[in-house]
Amino acid sequence: MKQRTMGRNGAETSAIGIGAMSFSNFYGPTDEARSHAILEAALELGVSHIDTSNVYGMGKSEEAIGSFLKARPGTRDRFHIATKAGIARDSEGNRYFDNTAEHLEAELDKSLARMGIDCVDLFYIHRRDAGMPVEEATGNLATLVEKGKARAIGFSEIAPSSLRRAAAVHPIAAVQSEYSLSTRSPELGLVQACAELGTALVAFSPVGRSLLTDHPLPKEVIPELGFLKANPRFMEPNLSANLTITDGFRALAAEMGVPAAALAIAWLLHRGDQVIPIPGTRSVEHFRELVAGCDLELTAADMDRIEQVLPLGWAHGDRYNEGQWVGPERYC
């Protein structure tokens, strides 16, 4: 397994990680056994980075990781474990963002208990509280490093300008952002800022929430998925248009003799040494296809062919609806 660095002078991890939102029911029903099977395959294939959050399945994702580590003594040190906090709900169930030191530490303590570990390798703020200066939020994260509860810190879905301000306070090991052939907005500043600062760009949804695979989610399943049924790219007529366009990508992958998902991962890895994709899946077979992307060496001609079938701006519909855009920082 190829290795990449989680931040300048940071920990070495596998070039690809596991997006553990798939250990909850976000993209369809799953269970602990299926999550454990993915983690078992990760050990076999040398995939070390696991990226989870306290809100994935309201702790279900972290609990699955914890039960696996408990069942497999001695495997903790074979994984680089990241989790997040900062999304909260009030007494009426309304979502808000809390970046206070008290909230972050309390939530991290719960995460550590669910996973049965005493320290995470990376702790992110999941969503920035726009009312708090990013410098203050960074200081709150840094305190958890000083206390030995996190080895490194990061942010999810922040703008390049916020990253630079945060990095002036404390080294930022990673920024998590959606990045793929279907979402290329990070190339308008975030990719460059991460390279400049030595920050890893942890790319979630690297296969376009299934659009960049050989088997996109069936149309009849989408109405059952709370997030996707309201997502512009998965609503008609955008969905049909996106499936038709990505048929060309699937055909290209078949011509090259590789799974479409592997080709999508390989394209991302060729965008910069700081990029670490974290695909999620409930299938060991699909996980192996994703990991196979790490072994693909793409030439400049290959990259050009990919760009020809999926040129910049090909996707129909925004990546989020207005409600889903609450929290991520827009910068382009």
Side-chain angles (χ1 to χ4, degrees), residues 37-113:
I38 297 293
L39 292 170
E40 196 69 56
L43 288 175
E44 175 194 340
L45 298 170
V47 175
S48 57
H49 181 64
I50 310 172
D51 216 292
T52 185
S53 169
N54 64 333
V55 297
Y56 293 168
M58 302 309 294
K60 180 177 179 179
S61 174
E62 292 177 332
E63 288 168 358
I65 294 166
S67 59
F68 181 83
L69 295 176
K70 183 177 181 180
R72 292 290 306 271
T75 57
R76 164 63 182 99
D77 291 340
R78 295 176 63 182
F79 287 114
H80 181 272
I81 299 175
T83 194
K84 300 179 280 292
I87 298 176
R89 292 193 181 274
D90 63 22
S91 59
E92 297 179 354
N94 299 308
R95 189 174 69 151
Y96 69 100
F97 309 119
D98 189 340
N99 296 173
T100 61
E102 295 77 15
H103 176 80
L104 294 175
E105 184 167 13
E107 291 303 312
L108 177 54
D109 285 344
K110 294 174 191 175
S111 293
L112 294 174

Side-chain angles (χ1 to χ4, degrees), residues 178-199:
E178 183 173 357
Y179 185 28
S180 71
L181 274 161
S182 57
T183 297
R184 296 183 62 175
S185 51
E187 293 172 8
L188 296 176
L190 189 60
V191 171
Q192 296 86 342
C194 285
E196 169 194 331
L197 297 168
T199 296

Side-chain angles (χ1 to χ4, degrees), residues 295-308:
D295 295 327
L296 296 182
E297 294 295 335
L298 301 181
T299 65
D302 293 331
M303 296 291 279
D304 286 343
R305 292 176 73 195
I306 294 169
E307 298 263 358
Q308 287 168 15

Side-chain angles (χ1 to χ4, degrees), residues 2-176:
K2 295 175 182 175
Q3 301 292 299
R4 295 206 162 175
T5 303
M6 195 65 73
R8 183 171 289 149
N9 303 317
E12 274 202 343
T13 72
S14 51
I16 188 173
I18 300 169
M21 182 180 277
S22 59
F23 291 179
S24 69
N25 296 320
F26 192 81
Y27 288 115
T30 191
D31 56 34
E32 188 177 83
R34 295 174 80 173
S35 299
H36 283 194
I38 297 293
L39 292 170
E40 196 69 56
L43 288 175
E44 175 194 340
L45 298 170
V47 175
S48 57
H49 181 64
I50 310 172
D51 216 292
T52 185
S53 169
N54 64 333
V55 297
Y56 293 168
M58 302 309 294
K60 180 177 179 179
S61 174
E62 292 177 332
E63 288 168 358
I65 294 166
S67 59
F68 181 83
L69 295 176
K70 183 177 181 180
R72 292 290 306 271
T75 57
R76 164 63 182 99
D77 291 340
R78 295 176 63 182
F79 287 114
H80 181 272
I81 299 175
T83 194
K84 300 179 280 292
I87 298 176
R89 292 193 181 274
D90 63 22
S91 59
E92 297 179 354
N94 299 308
R95 189 174 69 151
Y96 69 100
F97 309 119
D98 189 340
N99 296 173
T100 61
E102 295 77 15
H103 176 80
L104 294 175
E105 184 167 13
E107 291 303 312
L108 177 54
D109 285 344
K110 294 174 191 175
S111 293
L112 294 174
R114 282 190 285 266
M115 292 187 283
I117 58 179
D118 56 12
C119 175
V120 290
D121 299 291
L122 173 63
F123 187 54
Y124 306 90
I125 283 180
H126 205 160
R127 291 289 185 270
R128 260 201 73 197
D129 172 6
M132 176 183 287
V134 70
E135 292 86 354
E136 182 179 347
T138 303
N140 292 340
L141 285 173
T143 297
L144 298 171
V145 176
E146 294 168 5
K147 291 185 175 184
K149 296 183 179 184
R151 295 190 174 103
I153 60 173
F155 286 86
S156 181
E157 297 265 49
I158 64 168
S161 55
S162 295
L163 169 59
R164 289 190 173 92
R165 289 169 58 191
V169 175
H170 189 278
I172 305 300
V175 169
Q176 187 185 92

Side-chain angles (χ1 to χ4, degrees), residues 229-274:
K229 72 179 181 181
N231 183 275
R233 291 185 178 172
F234 290 83
M235 299 171 69
E236 294 294 359
N238 293 339
L239 176 59
S240 291
N242 288 331
L243 290 172
T244 297
I245 294 169
T246 53
D247 280 344
F249 180 69
R250 282 180 278 279
L252 175 61
E255 181 184 334
M256 295 174 71
V258 299
L263 187 58
I265 293 295
W267 178 87
L268 259 180
L269 290 170
H270 281 70
R271 299 304 292 176
D273 291 340
Q274 76 277 29

